Amino acid sequence: MSLNGQIFSLPREIKVLIGVFVIVLSIGFFSGLLFVGETSSANPNGIEEQYLGNEHDEDAKVMKFKKSEKEMLSLVHSHVLSMSIIFFLLALIVSITKLKRQLKMFLMVEPLVSVVLTFGGLYFLWTGILWMKYIVMFSGTLMTLSFLLSVLIILKQLLQKTV
């Protein structure tokens, strides 16, 4: 059974449900990114400071302390679990869109790999492997771009009559 393009044959009420779900999911995802921007300045040094603290910087506007192991394990645990569910559900929807096989596979698998790299990278950064901040930044950016592209493709194909 081929799933490619099945999104076009879905009943209207299922298309509406998927569309509303993807929009609400996007609001949650991008509001989370706004939070990341506020807490870490969305750059590698800001990421390092967020998790390792800045108590050595006497000129810091906001004093930050190194996260505890409990905080880090909680952050990694909750984000890996929740984001794996988010990206699994999004991948199921992407699986029924009409796309070239390679692009579809990339959009379905890449965000899950990036979840592991991003949050695993944060944990390794916290343990003192400072170059992981670049992996975190790269994988987080790639995860976000994959999410955005998947959402745009889904919404576009939901609005199309047929191909």
Side-chain angles (χ1 to χ4, degrees), residues 18-82:
I18 290 171
V20 171
F21 170 73
V22 167
I23 289 168
V24 172
L25 187 64
S26 297
I27 291 168
F29 187 86
F30 289 111
S31 65
L33 287 180
L34 289 174
F35 179 75
V36 168
E38 286 294 318
T39 59
S40 67
S41 305
N43 68 59
N45 292 330
I47 293 168
E48 180 180 338
E49 184 179 90
Q50 178 65 19
Y51 296 97
L52 297 178
N54 65 359
E55 34 306 350
H56 59 276
D57 183 2
E58 294 179 13
D59 298 326
K61 293 179 182 176
V62 176
M63 186 64 71
K64 296 180 181 182
F65 298 95
K66 183 176 181 177
K67 302 279 186 239
S68 69
E69 186 169 16
K70 182 179 176 182
E71 289 173 303
M72 288 305 297
L73 290 173
S74 177
L75 177 127
V76 171
H77 167 78
S78 62
H79 280 81
V80 169
L81 284 177
S82 62

